[in-house]
Amino acid sequence: MKILVTGGAGFIGSAVVRHIIDQTQDNVVNVDKLTYAGNLDSLATVSESDRYKFEKVDICDRASLERVFLDHKPDLVMHLAAESHVDRSIDGPAAFIETNIVGTYTLLEVCRQYWNGLNAEARARFRLHHVSTDEVYGDLEGSDGLFTEQTSYAPSSPYSASKASSDHLVRAWNRTYGLPVVITNCSNNYGPYHFPEKLIPLMILNALERKPLPVYGKGNQIRDWLYVEDHARALYKVLTKGSVGETYNIGGHNELENIEVVHTLCDLLQELVPPSSSQKLDTVNHYRDLITFVKDRPGHDLRYAIDASKIERELGWVPQETFETGLRKTVLWYLDNHDWCARVQDGSYQRERLGAGVKA
Ligand code: NAD
């Protein structure tokens, strides 16, 4: 199979590309605009494979997208390209409307035209897999329920509203034009190669530099955490085994308050890099001392939690990592991959590619 992946240089997209190249015999065409979130260093371990191709293309650019489809003739499409950071969507929603809504619309139209031109066998095989988030369901504050595939949409932020819009468009293209789509809605991911503006990598890198660990509000927001490689396996399973027109929720059964996540991280770092061992004149006794509470994000949802029983029951997927094992792997990865982090922090990842030297 040839799989066209949009957003394959991002956090989850790169995990998907590494999974396909390392664990299957399929080919990948990575279509990515390389925004600040796109990092080709994250693909250094697979980019030399003859089953991997890269196209620097904006999904809003219809002519270029059509050219990519004609050149590569994909069997399947996985759509992960998006603006993904909630805080950035509050500061500047325009890019979210453009990529997440207009970009998804453009991809749908290009897929529809391409799919209509395929022979019967290729048409039957074709799938567009739209990758979305649990944030479209809104806030579970005051409820001990879980998001199911039937939960009504009630997005709170410009990010989640733009993702909800894209989900609606994808469903409409299936219902109206018969385009064979599958949709997944996943909880918060964490793991290696995560851009350091997100909670877990930000806390690890700040702690190592003895900078404050900023926690929103009281840190009592609850998220359901999933290790990114478990997500990549789930996505490949839905792409290849999911039923057309269906939605699958993906989650890790790891509901934790943000402050619990930060405490667990601090304790892990305390065990792995005790402060005095790494700096002679260390001002910190315990990494927990660096925690500072900052003004909460406007419209911050209090609780998200996923019911992942459908994908477990119908497709036999279950996460392999617990939060403890996944978080330990993540911290060890950040400790081992100083070059990747330094190049993100000094911006050089956007100027030139690191060779195959990045550790897996
Ligand atoms: P990310 O921000 O790390 O990566 C997004 C990628 O898309 C980047 O490589 C970027 O360059 C690319 N991109 C952005 N605009 C583009 C455009 N116009 N054309 C082509 N490429 C473009 O995001 P992520 O965390 O990897 O998330 C991937 C997908 O998964 C998103 O759709 C997101 O909504 C969804 N999701 C993320 C999470 C999470 O916890 N990170 C959870 C559930 C769902």
Side-chain angles (χ1 to χ4, degrees), residues 7 9-13 31-35 37-39 57-60 80-84 99 131-133 159 163 186-189 194 198 231:
F11 168 49
I12 301 173
V31 175
D32 200 298
K33 177 184 172 181
L34 297 183
T35 67
N39 186 348
V57 164
D58 183 338
I59 55 162
C60 300
L80 294 99
E83 288 291 337
S84 70
T99 286
V131 177
S132 192
T133 166
Y159 164 65
K163 290 297 291 186
C186 185
S187 60
N188 273 42
N189 283 217
H194 206 178
K198 302 284 174 91
H231 190 195

PDB file of all heavy atoms in Angstrom, residues 7 9-13 31-35 37-39 57-60 80-84 99 131-133 159 163 186-189 194 198 231, ligand 1:
ATOM      1  N   GLY A   7       0.750  16.108   7.442  1.00  0.00           N
ATOM      2  CA  GLY A   7       1.232  16.459   8.780  1.00  0.00           C
ATOM      3  C   GLY A   7       2.201  15.435   9.345  1.00  0.00           C
ATOM      4  O   GLY A   7       2.338  15.315  10.567  1.00  0.00           O
ATOM      5  N   ALA A   9       5.319  15.476   9.584  1.00  0.00           N
ATOM      6  CA  ALA A   9       6.496  15.997  10.288  1.00  0.00           C
ATOM      7  C   ALA A   9       6.125  16.503  11.685  1.00  0.00           C
ATOM      8  O   ALA A   9       6.971  17.041  12.401  1.00  0.00           O
ATOM      9  CB  ALA A   9       7.146  17.121   9.477  1.00  0.00           C
ATOM     10  N   GLY A  10       4.865  16.351  12.076  1.00  0.00           N
ATOM     11  CA  GLY A  10       4.427  16.791  13.406  1.00  0.00           C
ATOM     12  C   GLY A  10       4.655  15.704  14.442  1.00  0.00           C
ATOM     13  O   GLY A  10       5.249  14.659  14.159  1.00  0.00           O
ATOM     14  N   PHE A  11       4.158  15.960  15.637  1.00  0.00           N
ATOM     15  CA  PHE A  11       4.388  15.032  16.762  1.00  0.00           C
ATOM     16  C   PHE A  11       3.754  13.657  16.481  1.00  0.00           C
ATOM     17  O   PHE A  11       4.456  12.632  16.445  1.00  0.00           O
ATOM     18  CB  PHE A  11       3.817  15.675  18.030  1.00  0.00           C
ATOM     19  CG  PHE A  11       3.703  14.777  19.212  1.00  0.00           C
ATOM     20  CD1 PHE A  11       4.774  13.994  19.620  1.00  0.00           C
ATOM     21  CD2 PHE A  11       2.512  14.720  19.933  1.00  0.00           C
ATOM     22  CE1 PHE A  11       4.661  13.157  20.733  1.00  0.00           C
ATOM     23  CE2 PHE A  11       2.399  13.906  21.045  1.00  0.00           C
ATOM     24  CZ  PHE A  11       3.467  13.113  21.432  1.00  0.00           C
ATOM     25  N   ILE A  12       2.447  13.628  16.242  1.00  0.00           N
ATOM     26  CA  ILE A  12       1.787  12.327  16.037  1.00  0.00           C
ATOM     27  C   ILE A  12       2.058  11.813  14.619  1.00  0.00           C
ATOM     28  O   ILE A  12       2.306  10.621  14.410  1.00  0.00           O
ATOM     29  CB  ILE A  12       0.266  12.440  16.296  1.00  0.00           C
ATOM     30  CG1 ILE A  12       0.016  12.912  17.729  1.00  0.00           C
ATOM     31  CG2 ILE A  12      -0.420  11.099  16.051  1.00  0.00           C
ATOM     32  CD1 ILE A  12      -1.435  13.228  18.044  1.00  0.00           C
ATOM     33  N   GLY A  13       2.041  12.740  13.637  1.00  0.00           N
ATOM     34  CA  GLY A  13       2.293  12.325  12.253  1.00  0.00           C
ATOM     35  C   GLY A  13       3.633  11.633  12.112  1.00  0.00           C
ATOM     36  O   GLY A  13       3.750  10.612  11.411  1.00  0.00           O
ATOM     37  N   VAL A  31       3.107  14.618   3.343  1.00  0.00           N
ATOM     38  CA  VAL A  31       2.761  15.935   2.796  1.00  0.00           C
ATOM     39  C   VAL A  31       2.671  16.915   3.955  1.00  0.00           C
ATOM     40  O   VAL A  31       1.769  16.802   4.801  1.00  0.00           O
ATOM     41  CB  VAL A  31       1.405  15.872   2.058  1.00  0.00           C
ATOM     42  CG1 VAL A  31       0.982  17.264   1.597  1.00  0.00           C
ATOM     43  CG2 VAL A  31       1.488  14.914   0.890  1.00  0.00           C
ATOM     44  N   ASP A  32       3.613  17.850   4.038  1.00  0.00           N
ATOM     45  CA  ASP A  32       3.657  18.736   5.200  1.00  0.00           C
ATOM     46  C   ASP A  32       4.157  20.117   4.766  1.00  0.00           C
ATOM     47  O   ASP A  32       5.102  20.239   3.991  1.00  0.00           O
ATOM     48  CB  ASP A  32       4.601  18.141   6.267  1.00  0.00           C
ATOM     49  CG  ASP A  32       4.352  18.713   7.647  1.00  0.00           C
ATOM     50  OD1 ASP A  32       4.532  19.938   7.818  1.00  0.00           O
ATOM     51  OD2 ASP A  32       3.975  17.954   8.550  1.00  0.00           O
ATOM     52  N   LYS A  33       3.510  21.138   5.319  1.00  0.00           N
ATOM     53  CA  LYS A  33       3.899  22.517   5.000  1.00  0.00           C
ATOM     54  C   LYS A  33       5.141  22.956   5.789  1.00  0.00           C
ATOM     55  O   LYS A  33       5.763  23.964   5.466  1.00  0.00           O
ATOM     56  CB  LYS A  33       2.707  23.415   5.374  1.00  0.00           C
ATOM     57  CG  LYS A  33       2.884  24.892   5.205  1.00  0.00           C
ATOM     58  CD  LYS A  33       1.615  25.594   5.718  1.00  0.00           C
ATOM     59  CE  LYS A  33       1.773  27.096   5.764  1.00  0.00           C
ATOM     60  NZ  LYS A  33       0.563  27.758   6.282  1.00  0.00           N
ATOM     61  N   LEU A  34       5.467  22.190   6.830  1.00  0.00           N
ATOM     62  CA  LEU A  34       6.575  22.552   7.748  1.00  0.00           C
ATOM     63  C   LEU A  34       6.341  23.916   8.403  1.00  0.00           C
ATOM     64  O   LEU A  34       7.089  24.869   8.189  1.00  0.00           O
ATOM     65  CB  LEU A  34       7.937  22.494   7.053  1.00  0.00           C
ATOM     66  CG  LEU A  34       8.377  21.134   6.531  1.00  0.00           C
ATOM     67  CD1 LEU A  34       9.780  21.211   5.938  1.00  0.00           C
ATOM     68  CD2 LEU A  34       8.325  20.062   7.628  1.00  0.00           C
ATOM     69  N   THR A  35       5.265  24.006   9.175  1.00  0.00           N
ATOM     70  CA  THR A  35       5.059  25.162  10.040  1.00  0.00           C
ATOM     71  C   THR A  35       6.065  25.041  11.190  1.00  0.00           C
ATOM     72  O   THR A  35       6.869  24.102  11.221  1.00  0.00           O
ATOM     73  CB  THR A  35       3.642  25.168  10.643  1.00  0.00           C
ATOM     74  OG1 THR A  35       3.535  24.050  11.537  1.00  0.00           O
ATOM     75  CG2 THR A  35       2.569  25.078   9.570  1.00  0.00           C
ATOM     76  N   ALA A  37       5.616  23.716  13.829  1.00  0.00           N
ATOM     77  CA  ALA A  37       5.415  22.404  14.479  1.00  0.00           C
ATOM     78  C   ALA A  37       5.966  21.246  13.651  1.00  0.00           C
ATOM     79  O   ALA A  37       6.045  20.119  14.140  1.00  0.00           O
ATOM     80  CB  ALA A  37       3.929  22.180  14.749  1.00  0.00           C
ATOM     81  N   GLY A  38       6.336  21.518  12.404  1.00  0.00           N
ATOM     82  CA  GLY A  38       6.848  20.450  11.542  1.00  0.00           C
ATOM     83  C   GLY A  38       8.359  20.354  11.690  1.00  0.00           C
ATOM     84  O   GLY A  38       9.063  21.351  11.584  1.00  0.00           O
ATOM     85  N   ASN A  39       8.845  19.155  11.948  1.00  0.00           N
ATOM     86  CA  ASN A  39      10.275  18.995  12.243  1.00  0.00           C
ATOM     87  C   ASN A  39      10.787  17.734  11.562  1.00  0.00           C
ATOM     88  O   ASN A  39      10.508  16.616  12.015  1.00  0.00           O
ATOM     89  CB  ASN A  39      10.454  18.915  13.767  1.00  0.00           C
ATOM     90  CG  ASN A  39      11.903  18.884  14.177  1.00  0.00           C
ATOM     91  OD1 ASN A  39      12.784  18.691  13.339  1.00  0.00           O
ATOM     92  ND2 ASN A  39      12.143  19.062  15.462  1.00  0.00           N
ATOM     93  N   VAL A  57       4.232  20.706   1.025  1.00  0.00           N
ATOM     94  CA  VAL A  57       3.021  21.261   0.397  1.00  0.00           C
ATOM     95  C   VAL A  57       2.039  21.679   1.488  1.00  0.00           C
ATOM     96  O   VAL A  57       1.882  20.995   2.503  1.00  0.00           O
ATOM     97  CB  VAL A  57       2.375  20.192  -0.538  1.00  0.00           C
ATOM     98  CG1 VAL A  57       0.945  20.553  -0.903  1.00  0.00           C
ATOM     99  CG2 VAL A  57       3.214  20.023  -1.804  1.00  0.00           C
ATOM    100  N   ASP A  58       1.365  22.807   1.245  1.00  0.00           N
ATOM    101  CA  ASP A  58       0.306  23.303   2.123  1.00  0.00           C
ATOM    102  C   ASP A  58      -1.009  22.637   1.687  1.00  0.00           C
ATOM    103  O   ASP A  58      -1.356  22.692   0.497  1.00  0.00           O
ATOM    104  CB  ASP A  58       0.234  24.833   1.941  1.00  0.00           C
ATOM    105  CG  ASP A  58      -0.770  25.496   2.851  1.00  0.00           C
ATOM    106  OD1 ASP A  58      -1.704  24.819   3.325  1.00  0.00           O
ATOM    107  OD2 ASP A  58      -0.624  26.713   3.069  1.00  0.00           O
ATOM    108  N   ILE A  59      -1.745  22.041   2.626  1.00  0.00           N
ATOM    109  CA  ILE A  59      -2.987  21.356   2.237  1.00  0.00           C
ATOM    110  C   ILE A  59      -4.071  22.333   1.755  1.00  0.00           C
ATOM    111  O   ILE A  59      -5.092  21.911   1.219  1.00  0.00           O
ATOM    112  CB  ILE A  59      -3.567  20.457   3.366  1.00  0.00           C
ATOM    113  CG1 ILE A  59      -3.787  21.257   4.657  1.00  0.00           C
ATOM    114  CG2 ILE A  59      -2.692  19.238   3.590  1.00  0.00           C
ATOM    115  CD1 ILE A  59      -4.738  20.575   5.621  1.00  0.00           C
ATOM    116  N   CYS A  60      -3.861  23.639   1.959  1.00  0.00           N
ATOM    117  CA  CYS A  60      -4.829  24.616   1.430  1.00  0.00           C
ATOM    118  C   CYS A  60      -4.559  24.924  -0.043  1.00  0.00           C
ATOM    119  O   CYS A  60      -5.373  25.593  -0.697  1.00  0.00           O
ATOM    120  CB  CYS A  60      -4.757  25.917   2.235  1.00  0.00           C
ATOM    121  SG  CYS A  60      -5.112  25.697   3.971  1.00  0.00           S
ATOM    122  N   LEU A  80      -3.469  14.213   9.196  1.00  0.00           N
ATOM    123  CA  LEU A  80      -3.099  14.718  10.529  1.00  0.00           C
ATOM    124  C   LEU A  80      -2.665  16.177  10.504  1.00  0.00           C
ATOM    125  O   LEU A  80      -2.458  16.772  11.569  1.00  0.00           O
ATOM    126  CB  LEU A  80      -1.950  13.888  11.128  1.00  0.00           C
ATOM    127  CG  LEU A  80      -2.279  12.431  11.443  1.00  0.00           C
ATOM    128  CD1 LEU A  80      -1.785  11.519  10.334  1.00  0.00           C
ATOM    129  CD2 LEU A  80      -1.690  12.006  12.768  1.00  0.00           C
ATOM    130  N   ALA A  81      -2.478  16.767   9.307  1.00  0.00           N
ATOM    131  CA  ALA A  81      -2.016  18.161   9.250  1.00  0.00           C
ATOM    132  C   ALA A  81      -3.037  19.050   9.943  1.00  0.00           C
ATOM    133  O   ALA A  81      -4.230  18.983   9.649  1.00  0.00           O
ATOM    134  CB  ALA A  81      -1.832  18.599   7.804  1.00  0.00           C
ATOM    135  N   ALA A  82      -2.564  19.866  10.873  1.00  0.00           N
ATOM    136  CA  ALA A  82      -3.467  20.771  11.601  1.00  0.00           C
ATOM    137  C   ALA A  82      -2.652  21.773  12.384  1.00  0.00           C
ATOM    138  O   ALA A  82      -1.474  21.558  12.652  1.00  0.00           O
ATOM    139  CB  ALA A  82      -4.342  19.968  12.569  1.00  0.00           C
ATOM    140  N   GLU A  83      -3.287  22.867  12.723  1.00  0.00           N
ATOM    141  CA  GLU A  83      -2.789  23.709  13.807  1.00  0.00           C
ATOM    142  C   GLU A  83      -3.359  23.069  15.068  1.00  0.00           C
ATOM    143  O   GLU A  83      -4.565  22.798  15.141  1.00  0.00           O
ATOM    144  CB  GLU A  83      -3.288  25.144  13.651  1.00  0.00           C
ATOM    145  CG  GLU A  83      -2.627  25.896  12.508  1.00  0.00           C
ATOM    146  CD  GLU A  83      -1.150  26.199  12.754  1.00  0.00           C
ATOM    147  OE1 GLU A  83      -0.738  26.227  13.925  1.00  0.00           O
ATOM    148  OE2 GLU A  83      -0.413  26.404  11.778  1.00  0.00           O
ATOM    149  N   SER A  84      -2.496  22.836  16.085  1.00  0.00           N
ATOM    150  CA  SER A  84      -2.933  21.937  17.160  1.00  0.00           C
ATOM    151  C   SER A  84      -2.810  22.495  18.579  1.00  0.00           C
ATOM    152  O   SER A  84      -3.179  21.802  19.522  1.00  0.00           O
ATOM    153  CB  SER A  84      -2.134  20.636  17.070  1.00  0.00           C
ATOM    154  OG  SER A  84      -0.783  20.875  17.438  1.00  0.00           O
ATOM    155  N   THR A  99      -6.144  26.254   8.121  1.00  0.00           N
ATOM    156  CA  THR A  99      -5.642  24.877   7.927  1.00  0.00           C
ATOM    157  C   THR A  99      -6.687  23.837   8.323  1.00  0.00           C
ATOM    158  O   THR A  99      -6.951  22.893   7.579  1.00  0.00           O
ATOM    159  CB  THR A  99      -4.338  24.670   8.735  1.00  0.00           C
ATOM    160  OG1 THR A  99      -3.290  25.374   8.066  1.00  0.00           O
ATOM    161  CG2 THR A  99      -3.962  23.201   8.834  1.00  0.00           C
ATOM    162  N   VAL A 131      -7.966  12.400  11.333  1.00  0.00           N
ATOM    163  CA  VAL A 131      -7.512  12.250  12.719  1.00  0.00           C
ATOM    164  C   VAL A 131      -7.945  13.471  13.524  1.00  0.00           C
ATOM    165  O   VAL A 131      -7.545  14.598  13.217  1.00  0.00           O
ATOM    166  CB  VAL A 131      -5.976  12.072  12.759  1.00  0.00           C
ATOM    167  CG1 VAL A 131      -5.486  11.988  14.200  1.00  0.00           C
ATOM    168  CG2 VAL A 131      -5.579  10.816  11.982  1.00  0.00           C
ATOM    169  N   SER A 132      -8.767  13.239  14.544  1.00  0.00           N
ATOM    170  CA  SER A 132      -9.293  14.363  15.312  1.00  0.00           C
ATOM    171  C   SER A 132      -9.081  14.143  16.818  1.00  0.00           C
ATOM    172  O   SER A 132      -8.389  13.213  17.235  1.00  0.00           O
ATOM    173  CB  SER A 132     -10.762  14.586  14.972  1.00  0.00           C
ATOM    174  OG  SER A 132     -11.198  15.813  15.501  1.00  0.00           O
ATOM    175  N   THR A 133      -9.712  15.003  17.577  1.00  0.00           N
ATOM    176  CA  THR A 133      -9.412  15.094  19.015  1.00  0.00           C
ATOM    177  C   THR A 133     -10.668  14.907  19.865  1.00  0.00           C
ATOM    178  O   THR A 133     -11.780  15.178  19.400  1.00  0.00           O
ATOM    179  CB  THR A 133      -8.806  16.494  19.306  1.00  0.00           C
ATOM    180  OG1 THR A 133      -8.815  16.722  20.689  1.00  0.00           O
ATOM    181  CG2 THR A 133      -9.604  17.605  18.653  1.00  0.00           C
ATOM    182  N   TYR A 159      -9.433  26.240  18.663  1.00  0.00           N
ATOM    183  CA  TYR A 159      -8.842  24.987  18.166  1.00  0.00           C
ATOM    184  C   TYR A 159      -9.905  23.898  18.051  1.00  0.00           C
ATOM    185  O   TYR A 159     -10.099  23.301  16.985  1.00  0.00           O
ATOM    186  CB  TYR A 159      -7.710  24.525  19.098  1.00  0.00           C
ATOM    187  CG  TYR A 159      -7.317  23.072  18.896  1.00  0.00           C
ATOM    188  CD1 TYR A 159      -6.754  22.644  17.696  1.00  0.00           C
ATOM    189  CD2 TYR A 159      -7.536  22.114  19.893  1.00  0.00           C
ATOM    190  CE1 TYR A 159      -6.409  21.308  17.500  1.00  0.00           C
ATOM    191  CE2 TYR A 159      -7.190  20.783  19.701  1.00  0.00           C
ATOM    192  CZ  TYR A 159      -6.625  20.384  18.507  1.00  0.00           C
ATOM    193  OH  TYR A 159      -6.296  19.053  18.311  1.00  0.00           O
ATOM    194  N   LYS A 163     -11.542  21.962  14.765  1.00  0.00           N
ATOM    195  CA  LYS A 163     -11.469  20.506  14.562  1.00  0.00           C
ATOM    196  C   LYS A 163     -12.889  19.926  14.427  1.00  0.00           C
ATOM    197  O   LYS A 163     -13.129  19.038  13.617  1.00  0.00           O
ATOM    198  CB  LYS A 163     -10.731  19.829  15.726  1.00  0.00           C
ATOM    199  CG  LYS A 163      -9.251  20.101  15.792  1.00  0.00           C
ATOM    200  CD  LYS A 163      -8.470  19.590  14.581  1.00  0.00           C
ATOM    201  CE  LYS A 163      -8.412  18.085  14.501  1.00  0.00           C
ATOM    202  NZ  LYS A 163      -7.530  17.627  13.393  1.00  0.00           N
ATOM    203  N   CYS A 186      -9.141  11.304  19.538  1.00  0.00           N
ATOM    204  CA  CYS A 186      -8.213  10.770  20.542  1.00  0.00           C
ATOM    205  C   CYS A 186      -7.992  11.757  21.683  1.00  0.00           C
ATOM    206  O   CYS A 186      -8.129  12.963  21.529  1.00  0.00           O
ATOM    207  CB  CYS A 186      -6.885  10.443  19.864  1.00  0.00           C
ATOM    208  SG  CYS A 186      -5.717   9.637  20.965  1.00  0.00           S
ATOM    209  N   SER A 187      -7.611  11.198  22.817  1.00  0.00           N
ATOM    210  CA  SER A 187      -7.283  12.011  23.995  1.00  0.00           C
ATOM    211  C   SER A 187      -5.859  12.558  23.892  1.00  0.00           C
ATOM    212  O   SER A 187      -5.181  12.333  22.896  1.00  0.00           O
ATOM    213  CB  SER A 187      -7.427  11.138  25.245  1.00  0.00           C
ATOM    214  OG  SER A 187      -6.533  10.049  25.145  1.00  0.00           O
ATOM    215  N   ASN A 188      -5.402  13.251  24.941  1.00  0.00           N
ATOM    216  CA  ASN A 188      -4.070  13.882  24.950  1.00  0.00           C
ATOM    217  C   ASN A 188      -2.952  12.861  24.749  1.00  0.00           C
ATOM    218  O   ASN A 188      -2.897  11.865  25.457  1.00  0.00           O
ATOM    219  CB  ASN A 188      -3.820  14.526  26.320  1.00  0.00           C
ATOM    220  CG  ASN A 188      -4.350  15.922  26.381  1.00  0.00           C
ATOM    221  OD1 ASN A 188      -5.433  16.204  25.890  1.00  0.00           O
ATOM    222  ND2 ASN A 188      -3.592  16.809  27.001  1.00  0.00           N
ATOM    223  N   ASN A 189      -2.070  13.162  23.809  1.00  0.00           N
ATOM    224  CA  ASN A 189      -0.910  12.297  23.567  1.00  0.00           C
ATOM    225  C   ASN A 189       0.319  12.849  24.276  1.00  0.00           C
ATOM    226  O   ASN A 189       0.440  14.061  24.480  1.00  0.00           O
ATOM    227  CB  ASN A 189      -0.579  12.258  22.075  1.00  0.00           C
ATOM    228  CG  ASN A 189      -1.504  11.370  21.272  1.00  0.00           C
ATOM    229  OD1 ASN A 189      -1.067  10.707  20.345  1.00  0.00           O
ATOM    230  ND2 ASN A 189      -2.788  11.342  21.599  1.00  0.00           N
ATOM    231  N   HIS A 194       7.924  15.380  21.121  1.00  0.00           N
ATOM    232  CA  HIS A 194       6.803  16.290  21.364  1.00  0.00           C
ATOM    233  C   HIS A 194       7.341  17.716  21.454  1.00  0.00           C
ATOM    234  O   HIS A 194       8.277  17.974  22.205  1.00  0.00           O
ATOM    235  CB  HIS A 194       6.125  15.910  22.681  1.00  0.00           C
ATOM    236  CG  HIS A 194       4.684  16.298  22.768  1.00  0.00           C
ATOM    237  ND1 HIS A 194       3.905  16.004  23.854  1.00  0.00           N
ATOM    238  CD2 HIS A 194       3.871  16.952  21.906  1.00  0.00           C
ATOM    239  CE1 HIS A 194       2.683  16.456  23.666  1.00  0.00           C
ATOM    240  NE2 HIS A 194       2.632  17.048  22.485  1.00  0.00           N
ATOM    241  N   LYS A 198       4.176  22.021  24.692  1.00  0.00           N
ATOM    242  CA  LYS A 198       3.121  21.229  25.317  1.00  0.00           C
ATOM    243  C   LYS A 198       3.538  20.808  26.726  1.00  0.00           C
ATOM    244  O   LYS A 198       4.734  20.761  27.044  1.00  0.00           O
ATOM    245  CB  LYS A 198       2.800  19.995  24.448  1.00  0.00           C
ATOM    246  CG  LYS A 198       2.367  20.330  23.008  1.00  0.00           C
ATOM    247  CD  LYS A 198       0.943  20.838  22.925  1.00  0.00           C
ATOM    248  CE  LYS A 198       0.560  21.314  21.540  1.00  0.00           C
ATOM    249  NZ  LYS A 198      -0.029  20.376  20.648  1.00  0.00           N
ATOM    250  N   HIS A 231      -1.015   5.418  20.123  1.00  0.00           N
ATOM    251  CA  HIS A 231      -1.934   6.106  19.202  1.00  0.00           C
ATOM    252  C   HIS A 231      -1.613   5.736  17.755  1.00  0.00           C
ATOM    253  O   HIS A 231      -2.507   5.442  16.955  1.00  0.00           O
ATOM    254  CB  HIS A 231      -1.843   7.622  19.422  1.00  0.00           C
ATOM    255  CG  HIS A 231      -2.904   8.406  18.699  1.00  0.00           C
ATOM    256  ND1 HIS A 231      -2.822   9.759  18.523  1.00  0.00           N
ATOM    257  CD2 HIS A 231      -4.052   8.038  18.076  1.00  0.00           C
ATOM    258  CE1 HIS A 231      -3.879  10.180  17.860  1.00  0.00           C
ATOM    259  NE2 HIS A 231      -4.632   9.161  17.567  1.00  0.00           N
TER     260      HIS A 231
HETATM  261  P1  NAD B   1       1.505  19.023  15.468  1.00  0.00           P
HETATM  262  O1  NAD B   1       1.135  20.453  15.648  1.00  0.00           O
HETATM  263  O2  NAD B   1       2.667  18.448  16.219  1.00  0.00           O
HETATM  264  O3  NAD B   1       1.789  18.737  13.914  1.00  0.00           O
HETATM  265  C1  NAD B   1       1.006  19.244  12.879  1.00  0.00           C
HETATM  266  C2  NAD B   1       1.748  19.052  11.569  1.00  0.00           C
HETATM  267  O4  NAD B   1       0.915  19.566  10.514  1.00  0.00           O
HETATM  268  C3  NAD B   1       3.081  19.808  11.485  1.00  0.00           C
HETATM  269  O5  NAD B   1       4.086  18.979  10.932  1.00  0.00           O
HETATM  270  C4  NAD B   1       2.780  20.988  10.573  1.00  0.00           C
HETATM  271  O6  NAD B   1       3.908  21.426   9.821  1.00  0.00           O
HETATM  272  C5  NAD B   1       1.707  20.380   9.668  1.00  0.00           C
HETATM  273  N1  NAD B   1       0.829  21.420   9.066  1.00  0.00           N
HETATM  274  C6  NAD B   1       0.213  22.440   9.716  1.00  0.00           C
HETATM  275  N2  NAD B   1      -0.489  23.190   8.823  1.00  0.00           N
HETATM  276  C7  NAD B   1      -0.332  22.584   7.617  1.00  0.00           C
HETATM  277  C8  NAD B   1      -0.822  22.865   6.309  1.00  0.00           C
HETATM  278  N3  NAD B   1      -1.618  23.914   6.080  1.00  0.00           N
HETATM  279  N4  NAD B   1      -0.473  22.051   5.296  1.00  0.00           N
HETATM  280  C9  NAD B   1       0.340  20.970   5.519  1.00  0.00           C
HETATM  281  N5  NAD B   1       0.850  20.677   6.721  1.00  0.00           N
HETATM  282  C10 NAD B   1       0.510  21.471   7.762  1.00  0.00           C
HETATM  283  O7  NAD B   1       0.175  18.210  15.773  1.00  0.00           O
HETATM  284  P2  NAD B   1       0.008  16.763  16.441  1.00  0.00           P
HETATM  285  O8  NAD B   1       0.024  16.897  17.904  1.00  0.00           O
HETATM  286  O9  NAD B   1       0.936  15.814  15.789  1.00  0.00           O
HETATM  287  O10 NAD B   1      -1.475  16.421  16.001  1.00  0.00           O
HETATM  288  C11 NAD B   1      -1.763  15.775  14.765  1.00  0.00           C
HETATM  289  C12 NAD B   1      -3.269  15.632  14.628  1.00  0.00           C
HETATM  290  O11 NAD B   1      -3.786  14.888  15.714  1.00  0.00           O
HETATM  291  C13 NAD B   1      -3.999  16.978  14.636  1.00  0.00           C
HETATM  292  O12 NAD B   1      -5.029  16.919  13.680  1.00  0.00           O
HETATM  293  C14 NAD B   1      -4.569  17.072  16.036  1.00  0.00           C
HETATM  294  O13 NAD B   1      -5.761  17.814  16.031  1.00  0.00           O
HETATM  295  C15 NAD B   1      -4.813  15.621  16.371  1.00  0.00           C
HETATM  296  N6  NAD B   1      -4.739  15.266  17.801  1.00  0.00           N
HETATM  297  C16 NAD B   1      -3.669  15.655  18.570  1.00  0.00           C
HETATM  298  C17 NAD B   1      -3.619  15.268  19.912  1.00  0.00           C
HETATM  299  C18 NAD B   1      -2.425  15.595  20.792  1.00  0.00           C
HETATM  300  O14 NAD B   1      -2.452  15.313  21.991  1.00  0.00           O
HETATM  301  N7  NAD B   1      -1.353  16.161  20.265  1.00  0.00           N
HETATM  302  C19 NAD B   1      -4.642  14.496  20.467  1.00  0.00           C
HETATM  303  C20 NAD B   1      -5.707  14.128  19.646  1.00  0.00           C
HETATM  304  C21 NAD B   1      -5.744  14.502  18.317  1.00  0.00           C
END
